[in-house]
């Protein structure tokens, strides 16, 4: 089993918090990128209105 000392528990909690903050930051950065570059991820509304490509 792992070390259950208060010092180790604190370190593990701190690491979990840092990981959570990092994931939240990545989510926000991703949302920001999508907001500034909407053509890279088209909305369903944009796709529905487009005409179908014709074969030549």
């Amino acid at each position: 089993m792992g070390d259950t000392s208060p010092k180790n528990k604190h370190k593990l909690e701190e690491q979990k918090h840092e990981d959570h903050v990092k994931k939240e930051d990545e989510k926000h950065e991703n949302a920001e990128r999508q907001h500034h570059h909407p053509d890279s991820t088209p909305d369903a509304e944009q796709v529905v209105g487009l005409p179908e490509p014709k074969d030549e």
Side-chain angles (χ1 to χ4, degrees), residues 14-39:
E14 196 172 281
Q15 182 63 43
K16 284 182 183 179
H17 176 73
E18 288 176 12
D19 289 345
H20 178 74
V21 169
K22 184 178 178 182
K23 285 182 182 180
E24 287 296 314
D25 286 346
E26 289 173 357
K27 284 182 186 178
H28 290 291
E29 288 174 10
N30 187 35
E32 195 67 25
R33 275 194 300 274
Q34 289 181 2
H35 177 73
H36 288 297
H37 302 286
D39 49 275

